[in-house]
Amino acid sequence: MDKRQLLKILTKPDLWKKLSPEEIRLYLLLIIFVGNRRNRGKLKWEELKEWLGGNFDIKHLKKAAYSLESFHLVKINCSSKDSEIRFELLKR
């Protein structure tokens, strides 16, 4: 992960105004769980709920995933047939 590029993205004030607190929390969580290679990672659904709260369900995840992808931050695969969420941090 290019930490300089990530820092530039995270310090853009207009970005934070456009994202909900839930979306920001999810994005930061994904940054924490990203693997070392190719900016990809995976997270178990139980871990996601543990970190973001029991009210965070698939509906919230899909909405947040759409928003984060529209800002070219992350692509999330939230297939309901899998207990893992796979994601890739996108390069801006």
Side-chain angles (χ1 to χ4, degrees), residues 37-50:
R37 299 201 297 180
R38 292 186 265 166
N39 294 337
R40 293 182 182 177
K42 56 186 171 181
L43 187 61
K44 291 183 179 180
W45 183 249
E46 294 81 26
E47 293 174 311
L48 188 72
K49 291 188 91 150
E50 180 182 329

Side-chain angles (χ1 to χ4, degrees), residues 56-67 78-80:
F56 195 81
D57 60 11
I58 192 74
K59 179 180 140 190
H60 289 101
L61 178 61
K62 287 184 178 184
K63 182 178 181 253
Y66 176 79
S67 180
C78 48
S79 172
S80 60

Side-chain angles (χ1 to χ4, degrees), residues 10-26:
L10 294 176
T11 56
K12 289 185 178 185
D14 61 322
L15 174 66
W16 300 114
K17 292 177 185 175
K18 295 175 183 174
L19 295 173
S20 73
E22 194 171 70
E23 293 163 346
I24 293 169
R25 287 177 42 224
L26 176 61

Side-chain angles (χ1 to χ4, degrees), residues 5 9 12 14-15 27 70-73 90-92:
Q5 182 183 19
I9 292 168
K12 289 185 178 185
D14 61 322
L15 174 66
Y27 183 58
S70 72
F71 288 109
H72 306 287
L73 296 173
L90 301 176
K91 296 178 182 179
R92 287 177 61 103

